[in-house]
């Protein structure tokens, strides 16, 4: 994400308050590395659209998408 430098602190606060959103890194000029995951009542794509609405956000770019079929996972206890 790229956020206007003067809005970066407020935007970071709003991002970290969103369920399913984690800020992993930030630069002094307002660039953020953010991970967004599906949550029970919202898809990651909806979360990404909500990130666009945070005041000061210049752009949100999807760099990587990963999807797992969780129904195929074997519980750790049975390994």
């Amino acid at each position: 994400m790229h956020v206007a430098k003067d809005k970066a602190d407020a935007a970071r606060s709003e991002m970290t308050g969103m369920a399913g959103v984690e800020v992993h890194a930030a630069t002094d000029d307002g660039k953020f590395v953010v991970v967004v995951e599906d949550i029970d009542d919202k898809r990651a794509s909806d979360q990404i659209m909500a990130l666009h609405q945070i005041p000061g956000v210049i752009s949100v770019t999807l760099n990587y998408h990963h999807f797992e079929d969780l129904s195929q996972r074997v519980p750790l206890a049975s390994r």
Side-chain angles (χ1 to χ4, degrees):
M1 290 183 62
H2 188 193
V3 179
K5 188 176 177 178
D6 62 326
K7 304 279 187 188
D9 290 338
R12 182 184 189 123
S13 179
E14 193 163 340
M15 285 184 266
T16 58
M18 296 172 68
V21 176
E22 295 177 42
V23 176
H24 287 275
T27 64
D28 292 337
D29 62 346
K31 294 184 178 133
F32 291 85
V33 176
V34 180
V35 171
V36 180
E37 296 180 324
D38 287 346
I39 56 174
D40 290 338
D41 62 340
K42 232 180 233 183
R43 294 189 179 272
S45 58
D46 295 328
Q47 294 287 73
I48 291 168
M49 294 308 294
L51 291 171
H52 282 281
Q53 304 307 312
I54 295 173
V57 170
I58 297 168
S59 65
V60 178
T61 304
L62 179 63
N63 288 318
Y64 179 77
H65 180 258
H66 177 76
F67 175 81
E68 289 181 24
D69 182 358
L70 298 179
S71 66
Q72 302 298 318
R73 295 183 88 180
V74 177
L76 290 175
S78 64
R79 290 185 187 176

